[in-house]
Amino acid sequence: MAQIKIYGLRDQLNPIKEQLSQVIHSVTMDVLGLPENKKFHRYFPMETEDFLFSPDRSANYTIIEISMFEGRSDLSKRELLMQLFSRLNDQLNLSAMDVEITLFETPRSHWGIRGLPGDELDLSYQVDV
């Protein structure tokens, strides 16, 4: 399971939402083994006055927060980060300088999904990758 939040300036983020979603989901499928139908993305397009960042970033500055079940190896998490940076640059021309990614891991028991605690769910994919 992964819930993904994407923040950016409204004028930059809105035109690329669908492509950005495709890139992010393709990486989570390839690296984490998430199923194709498990895409949970939330966009937060911000006004300039509400999204302050360092002057060494461009208007393309994007923050990606990924909340997921704990259990993935450090190698998998590193690969997730590196593939995101690489594909976002290659496919959307988003510089690694303009992308920040944070991974949040929580125990499955801390999630409530479909009326159950996450540790009681029967998943169609592996978490310990």
Side-chain angles (χ1 to χ4, degrees):
M1 181 60 156
Q3 292 278 348
I4 301 173
K5 297 177 184 175
I6 302 107
Y7 302 84
L9 289 173
R10 180 178 309 282
D11 292 344
Q12 308 307 119
L13 187 58
N14 280 340
I16 65 166
K17 275 194 233 180
E18 184 56 38
Q19 291 171 292
L20 186 55
S21 186
Q22 289 172 0
V23 170
I24 292 170
H25 195 56
S26 71
V27 173
T28 60
M29 287 190 307
D30 292 348
V31 176
L32 300 180
L34 292 183
E36 187 174 349
N37 65 339
K38 298 293 183 187
K39 179 161 97 172
F40 300 97
H41 298 180
R42 308 295 179 266
Y43 285 88
F44 297 86
M46 311 286 289
E47 298 299 334
T48 304
E49 63 270 13
D50 297 323
F51 193 53
L52 306 177
F53 48 86
S54 177
D56 63 347
R57 304 301 194 273
S58 79
N60 291 323
Y61 180 62
T62 304
I63 297 173
I64 301 170
E65 296 179 350
I66 302 173
S67 296
M68 59 187 182
F69 292 155
E70 67 181 355
R72 276 85 180 194
S73 70
D74 286 342
L75 185 61
S76 289
K77 290 179 278 192
R78 180 176 169 23
E79 183 66 18
L80 176 67
L81 295 171
M82 299 313 293
Q83 285 294 321
L84 283 168
F85 286 127
S86 176
R87 293 190 205 179
L88 290 170
N89 185 54
D90 293 348
Q91 297 177 33
L92 292 171
N93 203 29
L94 285 176
S95 163
M97 187 68 175
D98 281 328
V99 176
E100 290 189 17
I101 305 162
T102 306
L103 304 178
F104 297 96
E105 292 185 290
T106 54
R108 287 177 58 178
S109 63
H110 292 193
W111 290 64
I113 303 168
R114 299 188 309 264
L116 293 172
D119 60 347
E120 294 180 19
L121 290 173
D122 183 26
L123 300 176
S124 63
Y125 56 94
Q126 294 286 29
V127 173
D128 57 346
V129 295

